[in-house]
Amino acid sequence: KWHPARDHLRGTAKYGTPSKFPSAPAWSIKFDKTPFTEFLFATGDCQRWLIAKKFSVMAAYANQPRWIEKSSQKNSRYQARWYNRWNIPHEPWISATDHGSAVHSGHILYGENNFGNIHASRVLPNHMGANVWIRKKVVKKTCAHLDGGGWTRVRHVP
């Protein structure tokens, strides 16, 4: 079954005990007050995943194209059709491909309200569950990220 949360990814749901182990029972921490710009939805084995901007996820939509920055399907920006209707407790449905085909191919990466059916059975037991991650991506305006990053600027001339 999918996540017990029913907060439409607002980050207000808190349940279970956080754990690094994929076999742990479902858990969630609050993140509604944490500044972030991107979501990473990934299976527990990291074989299926997608990165999407917060604004692409946090809106109302029904079978509408939403932007995915990159995924296990494609290493560049593209769109997939998702659902997030505020009155449906098991949404949003976030997937690496269009929702309709993702249900059958096991490419659903997020759902709520303990929803089961093939939405869950085609992916969760085969990929060690699923996780949601967030980050605040900072746009690099320097060269410090080149060749793996770690650079510290020590000299400059205008």
Short mmCIF file of all heavy atoms in Angstrom, two decimals, residues 19-78:
data_model
loop_
_atom_site.label_atom_id
_atom_site.label_comp_id
_atom_site.label_asym_id
_atom_site.label_seq_id
_atom_site.Cartn_x
_atom_site.Cartn_y
_atom_site.Cartn_z
N SER A 19 13.61 5.75 9.85
CA SER A 19 14.60 4.67 9.80
C SER A 19 15.31 4.69 8.46
O SER A 19 14.74 5.11 7.46
CB SER A 19 13.90 3.31 9.99
OG SER A 19 14.80 2.26 9.77
N LYS A 20 16.54 4.23 8.44
CA LYS A 20 17.28 4.14 7.18
C LYS A 20 17.06 2.80 6.49
O LYS A 20 17.50 2.59 5.37
CB LYS A 20 18.77 4.37 7.41
CG LYS A 20 19.43 3.33 8.29
CD LYS A 20 20.90 3.62 8.49
CE LYS A 20 21.51 2.56 9.40
NZ LYS A 20 22.93 2.78 9.61
N PHE A 21 16.36 1.88 7.14
CA PHE A 21 16.16 0.54 6.60
C PHE A 21 14.92 0.46 5.71
O PHE A 21 13.84 0.87 6.12
CB PHE A 21 16.05 -0.48 7.74
CG PHE A 21 17.29 -0.53 8.58
CD1 PHE A 21 17.29 0.00 9.86
CD2 PHE A 21 18.46 -1.09 8.09
CE1 PHE A 21 18.44 -0.03 10.65
CE2 PHE A 21 19.61 -1.12 8.85
CZ PHE A 21 19.60 -0.59 10.13
N PRO A 22 15.05 -0.07 4.49
CA PRO A 22 13.91 -0.18 3.58
C PRO A 22 12.78 -1.07 4.10
O PRO A 22 11.64 -0.92 3.69
CB PRO A 22 14.50 -0.78 2.31
CG PRO A 22 15.96 -0.76 2.45
CD PRO A 22 16.28 -0.56 3.90
N SER A 23 13.10 -1.99 5.01
CA SER A 23 12.07 -2.90 5.53
C SER A 23 11.29 -2.30 6.69
O SER A 23 10.34 -2.91 7.18
CB SER A 23 12.72 -4.21 5.98
OG SER A 23 13.69 -3.95 6.99
N ALA A 24 11.66 -1.10 7.14
CA ALA A 24 10.98 -0.44 8.26
C ALA A 24 9.53 -0.13 7.89
O ALA A 24 9.21 0.08 6.72
CB ALA A 24 11.70 0.85 8.63
N PRO A 25 8.64 -0.09 8.90
CA PRO A 25 7.26 0.32 8.63
C PRO A 25 7.21 1.76 8.09
O PRO A 25 8.17 2.52 8.25
CB PRO A 25 6.60 0.24 10.00
CG PRO A 25 7.48 -0.62 10.83
CD PRO A 25 8.86 -0.44 10.29
N ALA A 26 6.10 2.11 7.47
CA ALA A 26 5.93 3.45 6.90
C ALA A 26 6.18 4.53 7.95
O ALA A 26 5.80 4.38 9.11
CB ALA A 26 4.53 3.60 6.32
N TRP A 27 6.83 5.61 7.52
CA TRP A 27 7.05 6.75 8.41
C TRP A 27 7.12 8.04 7.59
O TRP A 27 7.36 8.01 6.40
CB TRP A 27 8.33 6.58 9.26
CG TRP A 27 9.61 6.46 8.49
CD1 TRP A 27 10.20 5.31 8.07
CD2 TRP A 27 10.45 7.53 8.04
NE1 TRP A 27 11.36 5.59 7.40
CE2 TRP A 27 11.54 6.94 7.37
CE3 TRP A 27 10.39 8.92 8.14
CZ2 TRP A 27 12.56 7.71 6.79
CZ3 TRP A 27 11.40 9.67 7.57
CH2 TRP A 27 12.47 9.07 6.90
N SER A 28 6.87 9.14 8.27
CA SER A 28 6.98 10.46 7.65
C SER A 28 7.31 11.48 8.72
O SER A 28 6.81 11.40 9.84
CB SER A 28 5.65 10.84 6.98
OG SER A 28 5.75 12.12 6.38
N ILE A 29 8.15 12.42 8.36
CA ILE A 29 8.42 13.56 9.23
C ILE A 29 7.76 14.79 8.62
O ILE A 29 7.49 14.82 7.41
CB ILE A 29 9.93 13.81 9.44
CG1 ILE A 29 10.61 14.14 8.10
CG2 ILE A 29 10.59 12.60 10.11
CD1 ILE A 29 12.05 14.61 8.24
N LYS A 30 7.49 15.78 9.45
CA LYS A 30 6.93 17.03 8.92
C LYS A 30 8.01 17.77 8.15
O LYS A 30 9.17 17.80 8.55
CB LYS A 30 6.41 17.90 10.06
CG LYS A 30 5.13 17.39 10.66
CD LYS A 30 4.56 18.40 11.63
CE LYS A 30 3.18 17.96 12.04
NZ LYS A 30 2.37 19.06 12.53
N PHE A 31 7.63 18.36 7.02
CA PHE A 31 8.56 19.19 6.27
C PHE A 31 7.88 20.44 5.72
O PHE A 31 8.40 21.12 4.86
CB PHE A 31 9.24 18.38 5.14
CG PHE A 31 8.30 17.74 4.14
CD1 PHE A 31 7.93 18.42 2.99
CD2 PHE A 31 7.81 16.48 4.35
CE1 PHE A 31 7.08 17.84 2.06
CE2 PHE A 31 6.96 15.86 3.43
CZ PHE A 31 6.60 16.56 2.27
N ASP A 32 6.71 20.75 6.28
CA ASP A 32 5.94 21.90 5.80
C ASP A 32 6.62 23.24 6.07
O ASP A 32 6.33 24.22 5.40
CB ASP A 32 4.53 21.90 6.37
CG ASP A 32 4.48 21.91 7.88
OD1 ASP A 32 5.33 21.25 8.52
OD2 ASP A 32 3.59 22.55 8.45
N LYS A 33 7.55 23.29 7.01
CA LYS A 33 8.25 24.54 7.31
C LYS A 33 9.70 24.52 6.81
O LYS A 33 10.46 25.45 7.05
CB LYS A 33 8.19 24.80 8.80
CG LYS A 33 6.74 24.96 9.30
CD LYS A 33 6.66 25.59 10.65
CE LYS A 33 5.27 25.74 11.21
NZ LYS A 33 4.14 25.56 10.40
N THR A 34 10.07 23.46 6.10
CA THR A 34 11.41 23.33 5.55
C THR A 34 11.46 23.96 4.15
O THR A 34 10.70 23.54 3.28
CB THR A 34 11.81 21.85 5.45
OG1 THR A 34 11.68 21.25 6.73
CG2 THR A 34 13.23 21.69 4.95
N PRO A 35 12.34 24.92 3.93
CA PRO A 35 12.44 25.50 2.58
C PRO A 35 13.06 24.48 1.61
O PRO A 35 14.10 23.89 1.91
CB PRO A 35 13.37 26.70 2.74
CG PRO A 35 13.73 26.79 4.18
CD PRO A 35 13.24 25.57 4.88
N PHE A 36 12.40 24.27 0.48
CA PHE A 36 12.95 23.38 -0.54
C PHE A 36 12.38 23.75 -1.90
O PHE A 36 11.36 24.44 -2.00
CB PHE A 36 12.68 21.90 -0.21
CG PHE A 36 11.25 21.46 -0.32
CD1 PHE A 36 10.79 20.81 -1.45
CD2 PHE A 36 10.35 21.68 0.72
CE1 PHE A 36 9.47 20.38 -1.55
CE2 PHE A 36 9.03 21.26 0.63
CZ PHE A 36 8.60 20.61 -0.51
N THR A 37 13.06 23.30 -2.95
CA THR A 37 12.65 23.63 -4.31
C THR A 37 12.37 22.40 -5.17
O THR A 37 11.76 22.52 -6.22
CB THR A 37 13.72 24.47 -5.03
OG1 THR A 37 14.94 23.74 -5.05
CG2 THR A 37 13.92 25.81 -4.33
N GLU A 38 12.84 21.22 -4.72
CA GLU A 38 12.68 20.02 -5.53
C GLU A 38 12.28 18.80 -4.70
O GLU A 38 12.67 18.69 -3.54
CB GLU A 38 13.98 19.66 -6.26
CG GLU A 38 14.36 20.63 -7.34
CD GLU A 38 15.63 20.20 -8.05
OE1 GLU A 38 16.56 19.68 -7.40
OE2 GLU A 38 15.68 20.39 -9.28
N PHE A 39 11.53 17.92 -5.34
CA PHE A 39 11.21 16.61 -4.79
C PHE A 39 12.00 15.57 -5.57
O PHE A 39 12.18 15.69 -6.79
CB PHE A 39 9.73 16.27 -5.02
CG PHE A 39 8.76 16.90 -4.07
CD1 PHE A 39 8.02 18.00 -4.45
CD2 PHE A 39 8.54 16.35 -2.81
CE1 PHE A 39 7.07 18.56 -3.60
CE2 PHE A 39 7.60 16.90 -1.95
CZ PHE A 39 6.88 18.01 -2.34
N LEU A 40 12.41 14.51 -4.87
CA LEU A 40 12.91 13.30 -5.49
C LEU A 40 12.00 12.18 -5.02
O LEU A 40 11.87 11.95 -3.81
CB LEU A 40 14.36 13.01 -5.07
CG LEU A 40 14.90 11.61 -5.37
CD1 LEU A 40 14.94 11.32 -6.86
CD2 LEU A 40 16.28 11.44 -4.75
N PHE A 41 11.34 11.53 -5.95
CA PHE A 41 10.51 10.36 -5.66
C PHE A 41 11.28 9.16 -6.17
O PHE A 41 11.66 9.13 -7.35
CB PHE A 41 9.15 10.46 -6.37
CG PHE A 41 8.36 11.67 -5.99
CD1 PHE A 41 8.43 12.83 -6.75
CD2 PHE A 41 7.55 11.67 -4.86
CE1 PHE A 41 7.70 13.96 -6.40
CE2 PHE A 41 6.82 12.79 -4.51
CZ PHE A 41 6.89 13.93 -5.27
N ALA A 42 11.55 8.20 -5.29
CA ALA A 42 12.38 7.07 -5.69
C ALA A 42 11.92 5.78 -5.02
O ALA A 42 11.48 5.80 -3.87
CB ALA A 42 13.84 7.34 -5.33
N THR A 43 12.07 4.68 -5.73
CA THR A 43 11.83 3.39 -5.12
C THR A 43 12.97 3.12 -4.13
O THR A 43 14.03 3.74 -4.20
CB THR A 43 11.77 2.28 -6.18
OG1 THR A 43 12.97 2.30 -6.97
CG2 THR A 43 10.56 2.43 -7.08
N GLY A 44 12.74 2.20 -3.21
CA GLY A 44 13.73 1.91 -2.18
C GLY A 44 15.05 1.40 -2.73
O GLY A 44 16.10 1.61 -2.14
N ASP A 45 15.02 0.75 -3.90
CA ASP A 45 16.25 0.27 -4.52
C ASP A 45 16.85 1.29 -5.49
O ASP A 45 17.85 1.03 -6.14
CB ASP A 45 16.02 -1.06 -5.23
CG ASP A 45 14.99 -0.97 -6.35
OD1 ASP A 45 14.53 0.14 -6.71
OD2 ASP A 45 14.61 -2.04 -6.88
N CYS A 46 16.22 2.46 -5.61
CA CYS A 46 16.67 3.57 -6.46
C CYS A 46 16.68 3.22 -7.96
O CYS A 46 17.26 3.95 -8.75
CB CYS A 46 18.05 4.08 -6.05
SG CYS A 46 18.09 4.68 -4.35
N GLN A 47 16.01 2.16 -8.36
CA GLN A 47 15.96 1.81 -9.77
C GLN A 47 14.97 2.69 -10.54
O GLN A 47 15.16 2.94 -11.72
CB GLN A 47 15.60 0.34 -9.96
CG GLN A 47 16.73 -0.59 -9.60
CD GLN A 47 16.40 -2.03 -9.95
OE1 GLN A 47 15.35 -2.34 -10.52
NE2 GLN A 47 17.30 -2.92 -9.59
N ARG A 48 13.92 3.13 -9.86
CA ARG A 48 12.93 4.00 -10.49
C ARG A 48 12.84 5.28 -9.69
O ARG A 48 12.64 5.23 -8.47
CB ARG A 48 11.57 3.30 -10.58
CG ARG A 48 11.67 2.08 -11.47
CD ARG A 48 10.39 1.42 -11.73
NE ARG A 48 10.63 0.28 -12.63
CZ ARG A 48 9.71 -0.54 -13.03
NH1 ARG A 48 8.47 -0.39 -12.62
NH2 ARG A 48 10.01 -1.53 -13.85
N TRP A 49 12.99 6.42 -10.36
CA TRP A 49 13.00 7.69 -9.64
C TRP A 49 12.68 8.83 -10.60
O TRP A 49 12.77 8.68 -11.81
CB TRP A 49 14.37 7.93 -8.99
CG TRP A 49 15.53 7.88 -9.95
CD1 TRP A 49 16.24 6.77 -10.31
CD2 TRP A 49 16.07 8.96 -10.70
NE1 TRP A 49 17.20 7.10 -11.24
CE2 TRP A 49 17.13 8.44 -11.49
CE3 TRP A 49 15.78 10.32 -10.79
CZ2 TRP A 49 17.89 9.25 -12.35
CZ3 TRP A 49 16.55 11.13 -11.65
CH2 TRP A 49 17.58 10.59 -12.40
N LEU A 50 12.31 9.96 -10.01
CA LEU A 50 12.15 11.19 -10.78
C LEU A 50 12.39 12.38 -9.87
O LEU A 50 12.16 12.32 -8.67
CB LEU A 50 10.79 11.27 -11.46
CG LEU A 50 9.52 11.52 -10.65
CD1 LEU A 50 9.32 12.99 -10.30
CD2 LEU A 50 8.32 11.03 -11.42
N ILE A 51 12.86 13.46 -10.47
CA ILE A 51 13.06 14.74 -9.80
C ILE A 51 12.10 15.73 -10.43
O ILE A 51 12.04 15.84 -11.66
CB ILE A 51 14.51 15.24 -9.94
CG1 ILE A 51 15.48 14.26 -9.27
CG2 ILE A 51 14.66 16.65 -9.37
CD1 ILE A 51 16.94 14.54 -9.55
N ALA A 52 11.34 16.43 -9.59
CA ALA A 52 10.40 17.45 -10.07
C ALA A 52 10.49 18.67 -9.18
O ALA A 52 10.71 18.56 -7.97
CB ALA A 52 8.98 16.91 -10.07
N LYS A 53 10.32 19.83 -9.78
CA LYS A 53 10.28 21.07 -9.01
C LYS A 53 9.04 21.07 -8.13
O LYS A 53 8.00 20.51 -8.48
CB LYS A 53 10.22 22.28 -9.95
CG LYS A 53 11.40 22.40 -10.87
CD LYS A 53 12.54 23.10 -10.21
CE LYS A 53 13.62 23.39 -11.23
NZ LYS A 53 14.92 23.49 -10.62
N LYS A 54 9.16 21.71 -6.99
CA LYS A 54 8.05 21.79 -6.04
C LYS A 54 6.80 22.35 -6.71
O LYS A 54 5.70 21.84 -6.52
CB LYS A 54 8.47 22.66 -4.86
CG LYS A 54 7.44 22.78 -3.77
CD LYS A 54 7.98 23.63 -2.62
CE LYS A 54 6.96 23.79 -1.51
NZ LYS A 54 7.48 24.64 -0.43
N PHE A 55 6.95 23.40 -7.52
CA PHE A 55 5.78 24.01 -8.15
C PHE A 55 5.11 23.09 -9.17
O PHE A 55 3.92 23.24 -9.44
CB PHE A 55 6.11 25.38 -8.77
CG PHE A 55 7.04 25.32 -9.96
CD1 PHE A 55 6.58 24.98 -11.22
CD2 PHE A 55 8.38 25.63 -9.81
CE1 PHE A 55 7.44 24.93 -12.30
CE2 PHE A 55 9.25 25.58 -10.89
CZ PHE A 55 8.77 25.23 -12.14
N SER A 56 5.84 22.14 -9.71
CA SER A 56 5.23 21.20 -10.64
C SER A 56 4.35 20.18 -9.92
O SER A 56 3.34 19.73 -10.44
CB SER A 56 6.33 20.47 -11.42
OG SER A 56 5.78 19.70 -12.46
N VAL A 57 4.73 19.86 -8.67
CA VAL A 57 4.00 18.89 -7.86
C VAL A 57 2.85 19.55 -7.12
O VAL A 57 1.74 19.03 -7.07
CB VAL A 57 4.96 18.21 -6.86
CG1 VAL A 57 4.21 17.31 -5.90
CG2 VAL A 57 6.04 17.44 -7.60
N MET A 58 3.10 20.71 -6.52
CA MET A 58 2.16 21.35 -5.61
C MET A 58 1.16 22.26 -6.33
O MET A 58 1.23 23.48 -6.24
CB MET A 58 2.93 22.17 -4.57
CG MET A 58 3.93 21.36 -3.77
SD MET A 58 3.20 20.02 -2.84
CE MET A 58 2.19 20.91 -1.71
N ALA A 59 0.27 21.65 -7.06
CA ALA A 59 -0.79 22.38 -7.76
C ALA A 59 -1.95 21.40 -7.93
O ALA A 59 -1.81 20.22 -7.66
CB ALA A 59 -0.28 22.87 -9.11
N ALA A 60 -3.08 21.91 -8.37
CA ALA A 60 -4.22 21.04 -8.67
C ALA A 60 -4.18 20.72 -10.17
O ALA A 60 -4.02 21.62 -11.00
CB ALA A 60 -5.52 21.74 -8.30
N TYR A 61 -4.31 19.43 -10.50
CA TYR A 61 -4.30 19.01 -11.89
C TYR A 61 -4.95 17.63 -12.00
O TYR A 61 -4.99 16.87 -11.03
CB TYR A 61 -2.87 18.97 -12.46
CG TYR A 61 -1.83 18.41 -11.51
CD1 TYR A 61 -1.58 17.05 -11.43
CD2 TYR A 61 -1.10 19.25 -10.67
CE1 TYR A 61 -0.64 16.54 -10.55
CE2 TYR A 61 -0.16 18.76 -9.79
CZ TYR A 61 0.07 17.40 -9.74
OH TYR A 61 1.00 16.90 -8.87
N ALA A 62 -5.49 17.34 -13.17
CA ALA A 62 -6.13 16.05 -13.41
C ALA A 62 -5.77 15.59 -14.82
O ALA A 62 -6.21 16.18 -15.80
CB ALA A 62 -7.65 16.16 -13.27
N ASN A 63 -4.93 14.58 -14.89
CA ASN A 63 -4.45 14.04 -16.17
C ASN A 63 -3.83 15.13 -17.03
O ASN A 63 -4.01 15.16 -18.24
CB ASN A 63 -5.57 13.31 -16.91
CG ASN A 63 -5.02 12.38 -17.97
OD1 ASN A 63 -3.94 11.83 -17.84
ND2 ASN A 63 -5.78 12.21 -19.04
N GLN A 64 -3.10 16.02 -16.38
CA GLN A 64 -2.45 17.11 -17.10
C GLN A 64 -0.94 16.91 -17.10
O GLN A 64 -0.38 16.36 -16.16
CB GLN A 64 -2.77 18.45 -16.43
CG GLN A 64 -4.22 18.85 -16.60
CD GLN A 64 -4.51 20.16 -15.88
OE1 GLN A 64 -3.88 20.51 -14.90
NE2 GLN A 64 -5.49 20.87 -16.39
N PRO A 65 -0.26 17.37 -18.16
CA PRO A 65 1.20 17.24 -18.21
C PRO A 65 1.87 18.10 -17.13
O PRO A 65 1.53 19.26 -16.96
CB PRO A 65 1.56 17.77 -19.60
CG PRO A 65 0.29 17.86 -20.36
CD PRO A 65 -0.81 17.98 -19.36
N ARG A 66 2.81 17.47 -16.41
CA ARG A 66 3.59 18.15 -15.37
C ARG A 66 5.06 17.93 -15.69
O ARG A 66 5.46 16.87 -16.18
CB ARG A 66 3.26 17.59 -13.98
CG ARG A 66 1.79 17.56 -13.63
CD ARG A 66 1.10 18.89 -13.70
NE ARG A 66 1.65 19.82 -12.74
CZ ARG A 66 1.36 21.12 -12.70
NH1 ARG A 66 0.54 21.63 -13.58
NH2 ARG A 66 1.90 21.90 -11.79
N TRP A 67 5.87 18.93 -15.39
CA TRP A 67 7.29 18.86 -15.73
C TRP A 67 8.06 17.95 -14.78
O TRP A 67 7.94 18.04 -13.56
CB TRP A 67 7.92 20.24 -15.72
CG TRP A 67 7.57 21.03 -16.93
CD1 TRP A 67 6.70 22.09 -17.00
CD2 TRP A 67 8.05 20.83 -18.25
NE1 TRP A 67 6.61 22.55 -18.29
CE2 TRP A 67 7.44 21.79 -19.09
CE3 TRP A 67 8.94 19.91 -18.82
CZ2 TRP A 67 7.69 21.88 -20.45
CZ3 TRP A 67 9.20 20.00 -20.19
CH2 TRP A 67 8.58 20.98 -20.98
N ILE A 68 8.89 17.10 -15.36
CA ILE A 68 9.85 16.27 -14.65
C ILE A 68 11.22 16.75 -15.09
O ILE A 68 11.48 16.87 -16.30
CB ILE A 68 9.66 14.77 -15.01
CG1 ILE A 68 8.28 14.31 -14.53
CG2 ILE A 68 10.79 13.93 -14.45
CD1 ILE A 68 7.90 12.92 -15.04
N GLU A 69 12.11 17.05 -14.16
CA GLU A 69 13.43 17.57 -14.51
C GLU A 69 14.32 16.48 -15.10
O GLU A 69 15.04 16.71 -16.06
CB GLU A 69 14.10 18.19 -13.28
CG GLU A 69 13.33 19.37 -12.71
CD GLU A 69 13.05 20.45 -13.75
OE1 GLU A 69 14.01 20.94 -14.39
OE2 GLU A 69 11.86 20.81 -13.93
N LYS A 70 14.28 15.30 -14.51
CA LYS A 70 14.96 14.11 -15.03
C LYS A 70 14.46 12.92 -14.25
O LYS A 70 13.87 13.07 -13.19
CB LYS A 70 16.48 14.23 -14.99
CG LYS A 70 17.06 14.34 -13.60
CD LYS A 70 18.59 14.22 -13.56
CE LYS A 70 19.29 15.42 -14.13
NZ LYS A 70 20.74 15.41 -13.88
N SER A 71 14.72 11.73 -14.79
CA SER A 71 14.22 10.52 -14.13
C SER A 71 15.04 9.31 -14.56
O SER A 71 15.94 9.42 -15.39
CB SER A 71 12.75 10.30 -14.50
OG SER A 71 12.65 9.81 -15.82
N SER A 72 14.68 8.18 -14.01
CA SER A 72 15.31 6.93 -14.42
C SER A 72 14.91 6.57 -15.86
O SER A 72 15.54 5.74 -16.49
CB SER A 72 14.92 5.80 -13.46
OG SER A 72 13.52 5.72 -13.31
N GLN A 73 13.89 7.24 -16.38
CA GLN A 73 13.45 7.03 -17.76
C GLN A 73 14.18 7.91 -18.76
O GLN A 73 14.40 7.53 -19.89
CB GLN A 73 11.94 7.34 -17.87
CG GLN A 73 11.05 6.45 -17.06
CD GLN A 73 10.91 5.09 -17.69
OE1 GLN A 73 10.68 4.98 -18.88
NE2 GLN A 73 11.08 4.05 -16.90
N LYS A 74 14.51 9.14 -18.32
CA LYS A 74 15.07 10.13 -19.25
C LYS A 74 15.95 11.11 -18.48
O LYS A 74 15.54 11.61 -17.43
CB LYS A 74 13.93 10.87 -19.95
CG LYS A 74 14.35 11.69 -21.12
CD LYS A 74 13.14 12.23 -21.87
CE LYS A 74 13.59 13.04 -23.05
NZ LYS A 74 12.48 13.59 -23.80
N ASN A 75 17.12 11.40 -19.01
CA ASN A 75 18.09 12.25 -18.32
C ASN A 75 17.92 13.74 -18.64
O ASN A 75 18.82 14.53 -18.40
CB ASN A 75 19.52 11.81 -18.66
CG ASN A 75 20.51 12.29 -17.62
OD1 ASN A 75 20.16 12.52 -16.47
ND2 ASN A 75 21.74 12.47 -18.04
N SER A 76 16.79 14.12 -19.20
CA SER A 76 16.52 15.52 -19.50
C SER A 76 15.06 15.83 -19.19
O SER A 76 14.25 14.93 -18.96
CB SER A 76 16.85 15.84 -20.96
OG SER A 76 16.09 15.02 -21.81
N ARG A 77 14.73 17.10 -19.21
CA ARG A 77 13.40 17.57 -18.84
C ARG A 77 12.34 17.06 -19.81
O ARG A 77 12.53 17.09 -21.03
CB ARG A 77 13.44 19.10 -18.85
CG ARG A 77 12.38 19.76 -18.05
CD ARG A 77 12.74 21.24 -17.84
NE ARG A 77 11.84 21.82 -16.88
CZ ARG A 77 10.95 22.75 -17.17
NH1 ARG A 77 10.86 23.25 -18.39
NH2 ARG A 77 10.15 23.21 -16.24
N TYR A 78 11.21 16.61 -19.27
CA TYR A 78 10.08 16.16 -20.08
C TYR A 78 8.81 16.24 -19.23
O TYR A 78 8.86 16.64 -18.08
CB TYR A 78 10.31 14.74 -20.61
CG TYR A 78 10.29 13.65 -19.56
CD1 TYR A 78 9.16 12.84 -19.39
CD2 TYR A 78 11.39 13.41 -18.74
CE1 TYR A 78 9.14 11.82 -18.43
CE2 TYR A 78 11.38 12.39 -17.79
CZ TYR A 78 10.25 11.61 -17.64
OH TYR A 78 10.24 10.61 -16.69
#
